[in-house]
Amino acid sequence: MASRKRPPSKIRTISIEPNYVNRDGSALFKFGDSAVVCSVNGPTEVKLRDEKVDKATIDVIFKPLVGLPGTKDKTHEYIIRSTVESVIKSNLYPRTLIQIVCQVMMDDGNILATAINATTYALMNAGVEMKDIAVAVACIVNKDGNILIDPELREIEKAQSYHTFAFSKTSFGLLFCESTGLFTEEQYFECYAICKIAAQEIIDKIRMKIQLDLT
Amino acid sequence: MKHSKPTERTKVKVVLPGDTVSLDVTTPGITLGPGLIQAGDSISCTKAGFLVRSGSIYWVENDQKRYIPETGEHVVGRISGKGGEFYRVDIGSAHQAILPFLAFENATKKNRPNLNIGDLIYARVALANKDMDPELQCLNPMNNKADGFGKLEGGMVLKCSLRYCQRLLTQETDICKLLGQVLQFEVSIGMNGRVWLSSDTIKHISLVYNVLKQAEALNNSECKALVNKLAV
């Protein structure tokens, strides 16, 4: 196995490209060679069937790199929706639809975390009012018990356990977490703590990017 | 339209949704604009962008493209439908706006305005409420005169970000003035991210369109350079 070039607790280079497609809001978010484009449309007109009288309907569409969306992509849709629903002030947009479309552009692991970050940036780009923002980071515990943050695809294949965390910015509360594989309670909390530090790094990066875009 | 002399605008800092802003809410006359909400004694942001201050007014400025109607704002709209008593107008907001037949100068039950689907209009938002469809009027409520509102003949519409419209209106970007020295044209700037423009020939219209579109990404000195290049 080719050894990891960066330190275990270092995330890959983040790059963000706002206004990537011509919509109300959009962004391309990259963790190294993993890239997701997210576009946000809304608040816009909603089908009568989906209309909610007191808040916005949030619709998420997740498109995989190749082929048709499968069960895994539907799970991603559900996760992204429940994560952003907790931060969007949807009561400000009653009887409207906020549509979020995520398209995977390159897959080198941590697609879900990349998609959540892309969605966050696209929502900010669209000017949708939110009470907080969500940022996501993934990590693995490898066979030797070491924690590697933001793993690449080949590292995930050999992992003992795989964890994805989404945090809110202000309180650093956990908005979502997903873990697969075998791990101890101790390992889990260690992963949580490391990802929390990395989330701060992502927030700083987002803030810098916003500043750069507007000037 | 005449504007009172704008107070100095200062960009305080970059904010993200959820950031708390240390402003004293008890200051008399403090006004919170879009992107800021008060929760108890603290003020927090709901949008990402620059926190801007003008006098005692604070708001968050960003590159939003979707329009949220606000009472009193002027908009460029397109007639999209016709009901028994009103037109339906697309102003780029979540819901289609309503423009009653009686909201025109000298309109009566018998004397109806003559607009068709696809026509462009310049109107004022008479009523905006998040729970209701926005309502427009093509008259100034102060004197019941048309005052420039109504059908826009010919020309074309430029879609841009809401911030650019505000910049054009406050003349923070004086591209309209600069371009006016080179050729004659007419503009109606809506607050909804739509700018209607017209000139004597199609060639000039497309020229104005392209210049205004390009100027969105330029600062004042770059705008000057762009117009100077045209003038030669």
Side-chain angles (χ1 to χ4, degrees):
Chain A
M1 177 185 155
S3 64
R4 187 179 163 105
K5 287 195 185 84
R6 61 205 148 91
S9 60
K10 180 128 179 69
I11 52 172
R12 286 175 280 180
T13 319
I14 297 171
S15 79
I16 307 167
E17 221 176 292
N19 298 316
Y20 193 77
V21 284
N22 193 13
R23 285 288 173 259
D24 288 337
S26 61
L28 171 78
F29 193 96
K30 276 163 96 175
F31 267 132
D33 281 335
S34 282
V36 175
V37 173
C38 177
S39 82
V40 171
N41 255 320
T44 175
E45 218 151 355
V46 62
K47 266 192 249 147
L48 208 61
R49 177 163 62 95
D50 303 323
E51 188 179 278
K52 289 177 189 157
V53 206
D54 56 340
K55 60 179 180 182
T57 308
I58 296 167
D59 186 22
V60 181
I61 297 168
F62 189 94
K63 305 224 177 204
L65 186 60
V66 281
L68 295 166
T71 3
K72 202 176 143 207
D73 306 299
K74 290 283 164 198
T75 320
H76 285 355
E77 284 179 7
Y78 173 77
I79 291 165
I80 295 170
R81 190 175 66 236
S82 54
T83 309
V84 296
E85 257 175 4
S86 60
V87 292
I88 294 177
K89 291 177 74 68
S90 51
N91 61 323
L92 289 176
Y93 310 108
R95 303 186 303 125
T96 60
L97 169 73
I98 296 172
Q99 189 176 52
I100 298 164
V101 184
C102 290
Q103 166 73 58
V104 182
M105 301 295 274
M106 287 194 283
D107 187 354
D108 195 12
N110 314 332
I111 283 305
L112 183 55
T114 319
I116 291 175
N117 293 333
T119 309
T120 296
Y121 204 94
L123 281 168
M124 290 196 295
N125 188 244
V128 173
E129 299 208 28
M130 295 186 281
K131 43 181 175 273
D132 211 331
I133 59 172
V135 283
V137 196
C139 72
I140 57 159
V141 181
N142 69 7
K143 295 248 159 45
D144 313 325
N146 297 325
I147 296 170
L148 304 179
I149 205 159
D150 189 25
E152 289 156 27
L153 215 48
R154 59 185 171 85
E155 290 171 323
I156 298 169
E157 276 163 14
K158 291 177 181 146
Q160 184 76 37
S161 64
Y162 177 57
H163 312 263
T164 305
F165 297 94
F167 300 94
S168 67
K169 177 181 68 74
T170 37
S171 58
F172 270 99
L174 198 57
L175 287 174
F176 152 76
C177 92
E178 183 188 54
S179 301
T180 47
L182 286 171
F183 52 91
T184 64
E185 192 181 327
E186 220 166 83
Q187 280 174 332
Y188 177 80
F189 283 109
E190 213 173 316
C191 288
Y192 170 77
I194 289 179
C195 286
K196 211 168 175 175
I197 297 165
Q200 183 59 52
E201 199 179 320
I202 298 170
I203 290 166
D204 293 343
K205 183 83 188 175
I206 288 174
R207 196 183 290 272
M208 265 165 58
K209 189 66 191 165
I210 294 265
Q211 178 146 29
L212 212 69
D213 282 350
L214 287 170
T215 40
Chain B
M1 214 175 99
K2 269 196 182 139
H3 284 274
S4 52
K5 199 170 171 246
T7 19
E8 196 60 42
R9 289 143 52 97
T10 43
K11 286 176 179 170
V12 184
K13 60 174 178 180
V14 168
V15 288
L16 293 183
D19 285 3
T20 45
V21 184
S22 48
L23 296 176
D24 188 8
V25 277
T26 53
T27 316
I30 194 167
T31 312
L32 302 181
L36 293 171
I37 48 159
Q38 182 184 353
D41 281 342
S42 66
I43 295 170
S44 61
C45 303
T46 55
K47 286 182 182 179
F50 270 116
L51 178 68
V52 182
R53 178 194 172 174
S54 170
S56 59
I57 307 169
Y58 292 84
W59 72 95
V60 178
E61 205 173 77
N62 60 5
D63 277 331
Q64 190 173 331
K65 288 173 217 86
R66 175 66 63 172
Y67 179 60
I68 311 285
E70 207 61 65
T71 309
E73 286 181 346
H74 299 178
V75 293
V76 172
R78 196 185 123 262
I79 307 282
S80 60
K82 210 172 173 180
E85 297 277 304
F86 55 82
Y87 295 110
R88 286 243 167 233
V89 188
D90 169 27
I91 55 168
S93 60
H95 299 106
Q96 304 239 315
I98 285 170
L99 174 61
F101 288 157
L102 291 174
F104 289 82
E105 188 185 344
N106 296 331
T108 57
K109 283 267 177 194
K110 281 202 177 126
N111 183 17
R112 295 179 158 203
N114 185 21
L115 293 171
N116 293 310
I117 292 173
D119 284 352
L120 294 168
I121 53 141
Y122 193 55
R124 175 187 178 275
V125 179
L127 182 138
N129 182 317
K130 66 182 166 70
D131 296 301
M132 290 158 71
D133 289 352
E135 208 173 298
L136 306 178
Q137 54 186 186
C138 277
L139 49 84
N140 182 348
M142 307 295 276
N143 55 13
N144 284 333
K145 289 278 180 342
D147 266 0
F149 295 121
K151 190 178 172 186
L152 300 166
E153 304 271 3
M156 66 187 295
V157 169
L158 165 73
K159 286 187 186 175
C160 54
S161 76
L162 304 183
R163 185 162 71 128
Y164 185 51
C165 284
Q166 284 158 19
R167 270 169 56 197
L168 288 172
L169 275 171
T170 54
Q171 301 189 0
E172 194 188 320
T173 300
D174 46 5
I175 183 75
C176 288
K177 214 187 254 174
L178 289 168
L179 195 57
Q181 290 160 4
V182 183
L183 60 97
Q184 278 191 348
F185 66 100
E186 249 185 294
V187 279
S188 288
I189 302 162
M191 290 287 277
N192 57 339
R194 289 176 191 192
V195 178
W196 171 86
L197 46 96
S198 183
S199 190
D200 47 357
T201 61
I202 291 175
K203 196 181 154 196
H204 285 161
I205 293 176
S206 66
L207 187 76
V208 175
Y209 178 90
N210 286 322
V211 169
L212 289 184
K213 197 173 175 124
Q214 277 178 42
E216 182 166 3
L218 306 177
N219 62 30
N220 276 347
S221 56
E222 286 167 331
C223 283
K224 214 168 248 174
L226 180 71
V227 176
N228 283 342
K229 216 166 72 188
L230 279 172
V232 214

